[in-house]
Amino acid sequence: MKVAKRRHDMLEAVHAGITSIEALCRHFGISEATARRDLGALSDQGLLVRTYGGAAAHIGHREPELTLEQRRTRQGDVKARLADCALGCIEDNDTVLLDGGTTTAALAARLGERRGLHVVTNNLAALPWLTQLPEGHTTVLGGDLRASSMTAYGPLAHAALSRLTVDRLFLSADGVTELGLCEASPEQAWLKEAMISRAAEVYVMADATKLGRASQQHWTPFPHQWTLITDASDERLESFRALGATVRHPAATET
């Protein structure tokens, strides 16, 4: 089968629900390397989105990744409210894992209100708030620097995670849809998946603008049970509850 024809048929197969690498290999009688190459080409054309282990039908236009400063200035008041809600889930002496992102950095700014915390993070932008935790300490996941988000990632970060378990994990994302957590790079998505595997409880912090947003092409699947911390209060939440989420809302601001 010619490459162009196979890729056209593969796109139709993904739309029909054949989405895993293994299923596509069986369906087309091709190797895993060939299937990954074809999916990568279709993803580069914006025709589908890559997931770990396969693909999903394209559900949104890919957008340029925002700079760290742009993210800091967006929804700042909402991020502060989400951080306040997340703080209510943390107890003294917990071991807490903080993902990269400005929303989790807003939570880092509040962690001094708890005592005896052990905070593990790859979020270098959050470090200024983690230097003086009362009776606590901070472990920084090493690795390669992703300057656009001021995070560490890569094999060294994964190696450090493999030696740790945590009570609570707080994640952020570029978008949150039924597919999972949307990110700009496969390294980010893979690291989030590794974080989830090391946590007893998983919390996703996402303001209402991120729900249903599929602006990037790499995905981290949800665990079986997790908590969504969001200011959204519309029908979109039902789809996440069906995916195992408990929804927590920040307190309403006074007017």
Side-chain angles (χ1 to χ4, degrees):
M1 181 183 295
K2 292 189 185 233
V3 172
K5 174 69 164 57
R6 185 181 67 240
R7 288 177 179 172
H8 174 271
D9 292 348
M10 186 173 290
L11 180 61
E12 290 192 342
V14 170
H15 278 275
I18 304 173
T19 58
S20 73
I21 291 286
E22 294 82 0
L24 290 168
C25 288
R26 289 195 302 270
H27 187 75
F28 290 101
I30 56 178
S31 68
E32 182 176 318
T34 299
R36 291 187 185 281
R37 219 170 17 248
D38 288 349
L39 292 176
L42 292 168
S43 174
D44 289 342
Q45 296 173 57
L47 299 174
L48 51 71
V49 291
R50 290 298 308 275
T51 65
Y52 277 92
H58 185 67
I59 59 172
H61 296 292
R62 200 182 314 166
E63 301 172 3
E65 186 180 8
L66 296 177
T67 66
L68 185 62
E69 189 55 37
Q70 286 173 321
R71 287 196 288 268
R72 278 180 178 145
T73 57
R74 283 195 171 190
Q75 301 286 318
D77 58 335
V78 176
K79 289 174 184 176
R81 292 172 56 213
L82 297 182
D84 183 68
C85 184
L87 185 67
C89 303
I90 299 172
E91 300 177 0
D92 290 350
N93 303 308
D94 275 350
T95 300
V96 175
L97 176 53
L98 289 185
D99 182 27
T102 54
T103 306
T104 49
L107 173 58
R110 300 288 305 278
L111 293 182
E113 299 175 40
R114 296 289 183 267
R115 306 191 73 82
L117 295 182
H118 177 194
V119 179
V120 181
T121 188
N122 70 323
N123 190 338
L124 305 185
L127 294 184
W129 292 287
L130 301 177
T131 57
Q132 294 182 331
L133 295 172
E135 302 173 20
H137 70 287
T138 300
T139 298
V140 181
L141 298 179
D144 299 316
L145 173 65
R146 191 171 190 273
S148 61
S149 59
M150 285 302 291
T151 55
Y153 70 98
L156 290 178
H158 284 267
L161 271 178
S162 71
R163 301 294 190 271
L164 295 167
T165 56
V166 300
D167 299 310
R168 310 179 202 282
L169 163 64
F170 293 88
L171 293 164
S172 63
D174 287 342
V176 183
T177 80
E178 291 87 345
L179 291 176
L181 306 180
C182 174
E183 288 297 343
S185 74
E187 293 85 3
Q188 288 172 286
W190 184 29
L191 186 58
K192 288 179 193 295
E193 189 167 2
M195 288 178 172
I196 288 170
S197 73
R198 311 307 293 175
E201 296 183 9
V202 177
Y203 301 81
V204 175
M205 302 173 66
D207 67 66
T209 66
K210 292 187 176 181
L211 300 190
R213 182 181 176 195
S215 58
Q216 305 296 341
Q217 64 175 340
H218 302 284
W219 299 87
T220 302
F222 298 120
H224 292 301
Q225 293 184 323
W226 55 290
T227 299
L228 174 62
I229 300 176
T230 183
D231 61 320
S233 57
D234 54 47
E235 66 280 355
R236 291 176 296 175
L237 298 179
E238 292 309 313
S239 62
F240 295 113
R241 290 190 176 100
L243 293 169
T246 298
V247 178
R248 290 179 66 102
H249 291 100
T253 54
E254 295 183 2
T255 58

